[in-house]
Amino acid sequence: MNYVNINLMLFAKYILRYFILLLGIGVVGLSSCKPQKTGEGVFKLLPANETGLSFENRNVVSDSVNVLDYLYFYNGAGVATADFNNDGLPDLYFVSNQGSNKLYLNKGGMKFEDITDKAGVAGTGNWKTGVTVIDINGDGFKDIYVSVVSGYKTFKGKNQLYINNGNLTFTESAAKYGLDFAGLSTQASFLIMIRMVTWICSCLLHQFIAMIPMVTQLKGLNTAMMPAIIFSGMTMGTLQM
């Protein structure tokens, strides 16, 4: 038996081992797979009459408000999830562009209760665009900040800040905190900014409001690039722009 034959035998031996290994993996994989029924998947769709979640964001098209005049007509308005009553269950807050916002309390077992009217968080403004959850006053209860578009076509209103009273009711306090911004709001983000000044660490809550990049002409000015607005420096319960 020469050197070439020995190498061929070793090569064939390794190939056989890998083939047996792959075959074993295939057999184990097939045996562990269960036949999937038609319509089955990772997620299961639960009907609204079972969960209690009946929210719909229905936008009404008109001559003045439509996707041709307003590019973001079908962008939606967002949803926030947070434990608003600190019971360990995530609650849901849906924002409607044109209609009323909805707050659903998680009752457990995928059951939710609409407590919007009791909570006082239906929202105002005829075009709402986003929602951000933040414990802005540090009392351990999550608050709600809603972004609203105004100053464009028929859109009017101001951003709203709903302070959680700790009993599943909220108080609108945007003006009190200096956050009743009126303009082309899309979404707000709250950031913790830390500054070191001679061994003193002060944490300041800042807010960043993303502006809608309006691709149009307003009063002869090209507003394709709209600046962002930053409110900074928590002072006596208000945010200074």
Side-chain angles (χ1 to χ4, degrees):
M1 185 176 294
N2 57 34
Y3 180 75
V4 174
N5 289 336
I6 293 175
N7 284 340
L8 288 176
M9 291 179 62
L10 289 174
F11 178 75
K13 183 178 180 181
Y14 284 120
I15 290 295
L16 180 61
R17 284 182 178 179
Y18 281 116
F19 176 77
I20 294 175
L21 177 62
L22 291 175
L23 182 62
I25 293 175
V27 171
V28 172
L30 290 175
S31 64
S32 63
C33 293
K34 296 180 179 178
Q36 191 175 46
K37 297 179 181 179
T38 303
E40 278 190 351
V42 178
F43 298 96
K44 179 182 178 181
L45 180 63
L46 300 178
N49 59 3
E50 181 178 325
T51 63
L53 297 172
S54 57
F55 172 83
E56 290 185 66
N57 184 33
R58 290 184 176 272
N59 293 342
V60 179
V61 177
S62 67
D63 292 338
S64 59
V65 182
N66 55 71
V67 72
L68 296 180
D69 292 319
Y70 186 60
L71 182 64
Y72 314 99
F73 187 80
Y74 292 114
N75 274 18
V79 59
T81 175
D83 184 3
F84 291 110
N85 60 341
N86 293 342
D87 65 350
L89 298 174
D91 309 306
L92 299 174
Y93 184 76
F94 293 90
V95 178
S96 172
N97 289 125
Q98 296 177 318
S100 296
N101 304 336
K102 294 291 184 181
L103 176 59
Y104 291 93
L105 180 67
N106 193 335
K107 308 292 287 186
M110 296 303 293
K111 305 291 184 183
F112 293 83
E113 177 187 355
D114 183 354
I115 62 168
T116 307
D117 293 337
K118 173 191 173 184
V121 291
T124 59
N126 56 353
W127 196 265
K128 301 176 289 295
T129 55
V131 56
T132 306
V133 172
I134 174 73
D135 181 8
I136 198 167
N137 54 4
D139 64 352
F141 289 93
K142 300 296 185 182
D143 310 305
I144 302 171
Y145 190 73
V146 178
S147 297
V148 179
V149 172
S150 65
Y152 178 71
K153 288 193 173 289
T154 60
F155 298 154
K156 51 189 175 182
K158 294 182 178 181
N159 291 4
Q160 298 130 49
L161 174 64
Y162 294 98
I163 298 297
N164 193 332
N165 298 321
N167 58 357
L168 292 178
T169 66
F170 293 75
T171 301
E172 204 291 305
S173 307
K176 176 182 176 181
Y177 282 78
L179 293 176
D180 55 338
F181 176 78
L184 305 177
S185 298
T186 298
Q187 183 71 42
S189 178
F190 293 85
L191 310 171
I192 298 295
M193 308 295 289
I194 301 178
R195 299 187 305 180
M196 292 296 296
V197 182
T198 61
W199 304 104
I200 299 176
C201 177
S202 60
C203 297
L204 302 178
L205 183 63
H206 291 58
Q207 185 204 26
F208 175 85
I209 298 180
M211 306 293 288
I212 298 175
M214 304 296 293
V215 185
T216 183
Q217 295 283 330
L218 292 180
K219 297 182 179 180
L221 299 176
N222 188 345
T223 58
M225 296 297 291
M226 293 296 295
I229 301 296
I230 298 179
F231 293 84
S232 64
M234 181 71 81
T235 307
M236 298 298 291
T238 64
L239 286 174
Q240 305 297 324
M241 182 167 62

